[in-house]
mmCIF file of all heavy atoms in Angstrom:
data_model
loop_
_atom_site.group_PDB
_atom_site.id
_atom_site.type_symbol
_atom_site.label_atom_id
_atom_site.label_comp_id
_atom_site.label_asym_id
_atom_site.label_seq_id
_atom_site.Cartn_x
_atom_site.Cartn_y
_atom_site.Cartn_z
ATOM 1 N N VAL U 1 108.130 61.145 91.441
ATOM 2 C CA VAL U 1 108.005 62.382 90.645
ATOM 3 C C VAL U 1 107.311 63.490 91.438
ATOM 4 O O VAL U 1 107.718 64.662 91.288
ATOM 5 C CB VAL U 1 107.244 62.066 89.344
ATOM 6 C CG1 VAL U 1 107.032 63.313 88.500
ATOM 7 C CG2 VAL U 1 108.078 61.061 88.505
ATOM 8 N N ARG U 2 106.309 63.164 92.231
ATOM 9 C CA ARG U 2 105.675 64.200 93.048
ATOM 10 C C ARG U 2 106.674 64.821 93.977
ATOM 11 O O ARG U 2 106.634 66.030 94.206
ATOM 12 C CB ARG U 2 104.492 63.581 93.844
ATOM 13 C CG ARG U 2 103.691 64.630 94.588
ATOM 14 C CD ARG U 2 102.544 63.998 95.361
ATOM 15 N NE ARG U 2 101.870 65.017 96.190
ATOM 16 C CZ ARG U 2 100.776 65.643 95.770
ATOM 17 N NH1 ARG U 2 100.240 65.384 94.621
ATOM 18 N NH2 ARG U 2 100.190 66.535 96.553
ATOM 19 N N ARG U 3 107.593 64.046 94.519
ATOM 20 C CA ARG U 3 108.648 64.576 95.401
ATOM 21 C C ARG U 3 109.520 65.612 94.650
ATOM 22 O O ARG U 3 109.880 66.661 95.214
ATOM 23 C CB ARG U 3 109.521 63.438 95.962
ATOM 24 C CG ARG U 3 110.568 63.892 96.929
ATOM 25 C CD ARG U 3 111.199 62.689 97.618
ATOM 26 N NE ARG U 3 111.849 61.811 96.659
ATOM 27 C CZ ARG U 3 111.522 60.561 96.437
ATOM 28 N NH1 ARG U 3 110.508 60.001 97.057
ATOM 29 N NH2 ARG U 3 112.172 59.849 95.563
ATOM 30 N N THR U 4 109.822 65.339 93.368
ATOM 31 C CA THR U 4 110.612 66.294 92.608
ATOM 32 C C THR U 4 109.822 67.598 92.356
ATOM 33 O O THR U 4 110.389 68.688 92.379
ATOM 34 C CB THR U 4 111.096 65.700 91.280
ATOM 35 O OG1 THR U 4 110.005 65.510 90.389
ATOM 36 C CG2 THR U 4 111.833 64.410 91.502
ATOM 37 N N ILE U 5 108.504 67.467 92.088
ATOM 38 C CA ILE U 5 107.662 68.634 91.881
ATOM 39 C C ILE U 5 107.573 69.442 93.181
ATOM 40 O O ILE U 5 107.687 70.711 93.142
ATOM 41 C CB ILE U 5 106.277 68.235 91.388
ATOM 42 C CG1 ILE U 5 106.352 67.440 90.081
ATOM 43 C CG2 ILE U 5 105.395 69.459 91.207
ATOM 44 C CD1 ILE U 5 106.870 68.202 88.900
ATOM 45 N N ALA U 6 107.371 68.753 94.252
ATOM 46 C CA ALA U 6 107.267 69.469 95.553
ATOM 47 C C ALA U 6 108.585 70.165 95.870
ATOM 48 O O ALA U 6 108.563 71.311 96.391
ATOM 49 C CB ALA U 6 106.938 68.453 96.685
ATOM 50 N N GLU U 7 109.712 69.591 95.611
ATOM 51 C CA GLU U 7 110.993 70.239 95.767
ATOM 52 C C GLU U 7 111.094 71.506 94.914
ATOM 53 O O GLU U 7 111.548 72.548 95.370
ATOM 54 C CB GLU U 7 112.092 69.239 95.444
ATOM 55 C CG GLU U 7 113.533 69.819 95.532
ATOM 56 C CD GLU U 7 113.961 70.216 96.935
ATOM 57 O OE1 GLU U 7 113.412 69.598 97.906
ATOM 58 O OE2 GLU U 7 114.807 71.097 97.109
ATOM 59 N N ALA U 8 110.657 71.371 93.663
ATOM 60 C CA ALA U 8 110.740 72.530 92.721
ATOM 61 C C ALA U 8 109.843 73.666 93.156
ATOM 62 O O ALA U 8 110.167 74.834 92.882
ATOM 63 C CB ALA U 8 110.432 72.078 91.307
ATOM 64 N N LEU U 9 108.681 73.326 93.789
ATOM 65 C CA LEU U 9 107.747 74.352 94.178
ATOM 66 C C LEU U 9 107.907 74.814 95.612
ATOM 67 O O LEU U 9 107.011 75.365 96.219
ATOM 68 C CB LEU U 9 106.317 73.810 94.008
ATOM 69 C CG LEU U 9 105.922 73.484 92.526
ATOM 70 C CD1 LEU U 9 104.483 72.864 92.503
ATOM 71 C CD2 LEU U 9 105.946 74.774 91.703
ATOM 72 N N LYS U 10 109.115 74.676 96.162
ATOM 73 C CA LYS U 10 109.380 75.115 97.541
ATOM 74 C C LYS U 10 109.244 76.652 97.580
ATOM 75 O O LYS U 10 109.433 77.362 96.560
ATOM 76 C CB LYS U 10 110.768 74.733 97.945
ATOM 77 C CG LYS U 10 110.851 73.286 98.499
ATOM 78 C CD LYS U 10 112.223 73.011 99.076
ATOM 79 C CE LYS U 10 112.239 71.646 99.841
ATOM 80 N NZ LYS U 10 113.589 71.348 100.379
ATOM 81 N N PRO U 11 108.979 77.197 98.765
ATOM 82 C CA PRO U 11 108.734 78.631 98.901
ATOM 83 C C PRO U 11 109.877 79.521 98.305
ATOM 84 O O PRO U 11 109.609 80.566 97.718
ATOM 85 C CB PRO U 11 108.661 78.878 100.408
ATOM 86 C CG PRO U 11 108.044 77.547 100.894
ATOM 87 C CD PRO U 11 108.682 76.522 100.023
ATOM 88 N N LYS U 12 111.120 79.069 98.412
ATOM 89 C CA LYS U 12 112.244 79.865 97.880
ATOM 90 C C LYS U 12 112.123 80.092 96.397
ATOM 91 O O LYS U 12 112.598 81.097 95.837
ATOM 92 C CB LYS U 12 113.573 79.210 98.195
ATOM 93 C CG LYS U 12 113.839 77.916 97.463
ATOM 94 C CD LYS U 12 115.239 77.357 97.774
ATOM 95 C CE LYS U 12 115.512 76.081 96.927
ATOM 96 N NZ LYS U 12 116.853 75.510 97.174
ATOM 97 N N ASN U 13 111.471 79.135 95.686
ATOM 98 C CA ASN U 13 111.258 79.304 94.267
ATOM 99 C C ASN U 13 109.950 80.006 93.896
ATOM 100 O O ASN U 13 109.845 80.496 92.795
ATOM 101 C CB ASN U 13 111.321 77.896 93.587
ATOM 102 C CG ASN U 13 112.644 77.216 93.683
ATOM 103 O OD1 ASN U 13 113.684 77.896 93.686
ATOM 104 N ND2 ASN U 13 112.663 75.889 93.790
ATOM 105 N N ILE U 14 109.018 80.003 94.826
ATOM 106 C CA ILE U 14 107.714 80.574 94.585
ATOM 107 C C ILE U 14 107.615 82.027 94.985
ATOM 108 O O ILE U 14 106.905 82.824 94.359
ATOM 109 C CB ILE U 14 106.636 79.726 95.320
ATOM 110 C CG1 ILE U 14 106.604 78.293 94.731
ATOM 111 C CG2 ILE U 14 105.239 80.381 95.222
ATOM 112 C CD1 ILE U 14 106.197 78.228 93.309
ATOM 113 N N GLN U 15 108.300 82.405 96.026
ATOM 114 C CA GLN U 15 108.156 83.782 96.566
ATOM 115 C C GLN U 15 108.406 84.861 95.560
ATOM 116 O O GLN U 15 107.634 85.810 95.437
ATOM 117 C CB GLN U 15 109.081 83.951 97.767
ATOM 118 C CG GLN U 15 108.545 83.223 99.074
ATOM 119 C CD GLN U 15 109.548 83.180 100.137
ATOM 120 O OE1 GLN U 15 110.709 83.593 99.982
ATOM 121 N NE2 GLN U 15 109.139 82.632 101.276
ATOM 122 N N PRO U 16 109.486 84.825 94.715
ATOM 123 C CA PRO U 16 109.663 85.845 93.740
ATOM 124 C C PRO U 16 108.516 85.861 92.708
ATOM 125 O O PRO U 16 108.127 86.985 92.229
ATOM 126 C CB PRO U 16 110.982 85.458 93.058
ATOM 127 C CG PRO U 16 111.630 84.571 94.044
ATOM 128 C CD PRO U 16 110.567 83.823 94.758
ATOM 129 N N VAL U 17 107.931 84.725 92.438
ATOM 130 C CA VAL U 17 106.822 84.662 91.477
ATOM 131 C C VAL U 17 105.558 85.251 92.098
ATOM 132 O O VAL U 17 104.747 85.887 91.376
ATOM 133 C CB VAL U 17 106.591 83.195 91.029
ATOM 134 C CG1 VAL U 17 105.408 83.128 90.047
ATOM 135 C CG2 VAL U 17 107.867 82.650 90.381
ATOM 136 N N ALA U 18 105.379 85.070 93.369
ATOM 137 C CA ALA U 18 104.199 85.670 94.062
ATOM 138 C C ALA U 18 104.265 87.169 93.960
ATOM 139 O O ALA U 18 103.224 87.861 93.709
ATOM 140 C CB ALA U 18 104.157 85.234 95.513
ATOM 141 N N ARG U 19 105.476 87.736 94.143
ATOM 142 C CA ARG U 19 105.600 89.184 94.002
ATOM 143 C C ARG U 19 105.329 89.631 92.532
ATOM 144 O O ARG U 19 104.683 90.634 92.329
ATOM 145 C CB ARG U 19 107.005 89.626 94.436
ATOM 146 C CG ARG U 19 107.260 89.468 95.913
ATOM 147 C CD ARG U 19 108.531 90.179 96.311
ATOM 148 N NE ARG U 19 109.701 89.522 95.824
ATOM 149 C CZ ARG U 19 110.376 88.513 96.426
ATOM 150 N NH1 ARG U 19 109.880 88.089 97.635
ATOM 151 N NH2 ARG U 19 111.452 87.999 95.886
ATOM 152 N N ARG U 20 105.768 88.849 91.623
ATOM 153 C CA ARG U 20 105.522 89.129 90.201
ATOM 154 C C ARG U 20 104.047 89.014 89.899
ATOM 155 O O ARG U 20 103.500 89.836 89.118
ATOM 156 C CB ARG U 20 106.298 88.175 89.328
ATOM 157 C CG ARG U 20 106.017 88.271 87.811
ATOM 158 C CD ARG U 20 106.313 89.664 87.307
ATOM 159 N NE ARG U 20 105.834 89.888 85.938
ATOM 160 C CZ ARG U 20 105.401 91.077 85.490
ATOM 161 N NH1 ARG U 20 105.414 92.125 86.242
ATOM 162 N NH2 ARG U 20 104.989 91.165 84.244
ATOM 163 N N LEU U 21 103.348 88.099 90.520
ATOM 164 C CA LEU U 21 101.889 87.928 90.317
ATOM 165 C C LEU U 21 101.159 89.201 90.731
ATOM 166 O O LEU U 21 100.301 89.647 89.966
ATOM 167 C CB LEU U 21 101.421 86.721 91.125
ATOM 168 C CG LEU U 21 99.904 86.532 91.235
ATOM 169 C CD1 LEU U 21 99.328 86.325 89.821
ATOM 170 C CD2 LEU U 21 99.567 85.317 92.134
ATOM 171 N N GLU U 22 101.454 89.735 91.907
ATOM 172 C CA GLU U 22 100.791 90.968 92.354
ATOM 173 C C GLU U 22 101.043 92.088 91.396
ATOM 174 O O GLU U 22 100.110 92.861 91.040
ATOM 175 C CB GLU U 22 101.242 91.346 93.723
ATOM 176 C CG GLU U 22 100.830 90.304 94.801
ATOM 177 C CD GLU U 22 101.329 90.667 96.172
ATOM 178 O OE1 GLU U 22 102.277 91.484 96.230
ATOM 179 O OE2 GLU U 22 100.765 90.173 97.172
ATOM 180 N N ALA U 23 102.280 92.244 90.892
ATOM 181 C CA ALA U 23 102.620 93.353 89.974
ATOM 182 C C ALA U 23 101.899 93.107 88.635
ATOM 183 O O ALA U 23 101.394 94.085 88.071
ATOM 184 C CB ALA U 23 104.136 93.373 89.807
ATOM 185 N N PHE U 24 101.910 91.882 88.172
ATOM 186 C CA PHE U 24 101.290 91.602 86.842
ATOM 187 C C PHE U 24 99.815 91.855 86.857
ATOM 188 O O PHE U 24 99.239 92.450 85.941
ATOM 189 C CB PHE U 24 101.550 90.158 86.444
ATOM 190 C CG PHE U 24 101.006 89.809 85.116
ATOM 191 C CD1 PHE U 24 101.677 90.221 83.925
ATOM 192 C CD2 PHE U 24 99.825 89.091 84.989
ATOM 193 C CE1 PHE U 24 101.146 89.867 82.687
ATOM 194 C CE2 PHE U 24 99.300 88.758 83.753
ATOM 195 C CZ PHE U 24 99.990 89.151 82.550
ATOM 196 N N VAL U 25 99.096 91.446 87.926
ATOM 197 C CA VAL U 25 97.683 91.668 88.055
ATOM 198 C C VAL U 25 97.419 93.167 88.084
ATOM 199 O O VAL U 25 96.460 93.652 87.410
ATOM 200 C CB VAL U 25 97.082 90.952 89.296
ATOM 201 C CG1 VAL U 25 95.715 91.460 89.618
ATOM 202 C CG2 VAL U 25 97.105 89.452 89.080
ATOM 203 N N ALA U 26 98.210 93.924 88.824
ATOM 204 C CA ALA U 26 97.981 95.365 88.883
ATOM 205 C C ALA U 26 98.221 95.987 87.503
ATOM 206 O O ALA U 26 97.474 96.884 87.116
ATOM 207 C CB ALA U 26 98.999 95.999 89.900
ATOM 208 N N GLU U 27 99.180 95.543 86.778
ATOM 209 C CA GLU U 27 99.452 96.033 85.394
ATOM 210 C C GLU U 27 98.253 95.717 84.527
ATOM 211 O O GLU U 27 97.800 96.642 83.736
ATOM 212 C CB GLU U 27 100.723 95.416 84.821
ATOM 213 C CG GLU U 27 101.987 95.809 85.509
ATOM 214 C CD GLU U 27 103.181 94.895 85.154
ATOM 215 O OE1 GLU U 27 102.970 94.025 84.230
ATOM 216 O OE2 GLU U 27 104.209 95.053 85.760
ATOM 217 N N ARG U 28 97.758 94.514 84.596
ATOM 218 C CA ARG U 28 96.602 94.144 83.722
ATOM 219 C C ARG U 28 95.388 94.929 84.061
ATOM 220 O O ARG U 28 94.626 95.367 83.186
ATOM 221 C CB ARG U 28 96.359 92.634 83.855
ATOM 222 C CG ARG U 28 97.273 91.797 83.047
ATOM 223 C CD ARG U 28 96.921 91.877 81.558
ATOM 224 N NE ARG U 28 97.968 91.396 80.663
ATOM 225 C CZ ARG U 28 97.745 90.883 79.492
ATOM 226 N NH1 ARG U 28 96.527 90.764 79.031
ATOM 227 N NH2 ARG U 28 98.781 90.505 78.734
#
């Protein structure tokens, strides 16, 4: 199961969220 989580959290899936994080924090 950890392998499936690690696969899901690969950089290709996280990078767009990181950009959203910076924008959301700035908005807040």
Side-chain angles (χ1 to χ4, degrees):
V1 175
R2 187 182 175 93
R3 184 169 60 243
T4 68
I5 301 295
E7 175 67 25
L9 293 176
K10 277 187 171 180
K12 68 176 182 179
N13 295 326
I14 296 297
Q15 286 169 356
V17 179
R19 291 192 291 271
R20 174 58 190 150
L21 172 60
E22 292 179 342
F24 182 79
V25 167
E27 292 165 8
R28 280 286 164 151

